[in-house]
């Protein structure tokens, strides 16, 4: 497990997914960053804030995106943020995107 520790931050760039580092305590906020899940469900460690970057969907079809959004909403992180990028398939999902992303916040 690689860690760089300072008094105000701990960054892990690798760890055992079955045994992630313990949450450092109530005075800390744990950010969990994932990306490019392409409609796959992956193991995600617990945390306070979940950040998803990159591709949510494998093909940009609404059913693939909806599947991913429902999965993200089911994760226990109290706060979730998706960084959505415009890609070649973005026009296919753009009309539905605001409605689907609302699922995360409800």
């Amino acid at each position: 497990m690689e860690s760089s520790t300072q008094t105000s931050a701990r960054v892990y760039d690798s760890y055992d997914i079955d045994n992630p580092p313990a949450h450092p305590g109530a005075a800390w906020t744990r950010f969990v960053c994932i990306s490019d899940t392409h409609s796959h469900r992956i193991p995600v460690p617990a945390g306070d804030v979940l950040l998803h970057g990159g591709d949510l969907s494998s093909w940009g079809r609404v059913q693939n995106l909806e599947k991913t959004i429902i999965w993200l909403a089911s994760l226990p992180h109290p706060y979730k943020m998706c960084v959505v990028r415009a890609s070649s398939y973005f026009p296919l999902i753009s009309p539905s995107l605001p409605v689907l992303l609302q699922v995360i916040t409800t």
Side-chain angles (χ1 to χ4, degrees):
M1 173 179 352
E2 296 296 318
S3 169
S4 113
T5 304
Q6 302 171 4
T7 57
S8 62
R10 292 183 187 169
V11 177
Y12 299 93
D13 58 8
S14 66
Y15 56 88
D16 178 0
I17 192 65
D18 295 322
N19 189 25
H23 193 291
W28 292 72
T29 301
R30 174 176 270 175
F31 288 84
V32 177
C33 304
I34 60 175
S35 70
D36 297 305
T37 54
H38 299 278
S39 301
H40 297 287
R41 294 178 178 213
I42 60 170
V44 179
D48 303 302
V49 180
L50 175 65
L51 301 169
H52 186 296
D55 296 328
L56 291 166
S57 171
S58 51
W59 296 102
R61 294 187 177 96
V62 173
Q63 64 268 26
N64 296 109
L65 181 61
E66 188 174 56
K67 174 182 158 183
T68 304
I69 296 298
I70 290 168
W71 168 65
L72 289 171
S74 76
L75 296 174
H77 307 77
Y79 300 95
K80 299 174 178 89
M81 178 182 289
C82 292
V83 180
V84 180
R85 69 179 182 88
S87 67
S88 58
Y89 59 76
F90 192 75
L92 298 175
I93 62 172
S94 60
S96 304
L97 190 59
V99 174
L100 292 173
L101 290 178
Q102 240 179 352
V103 170
I104 291 179
T105 61
T106 57

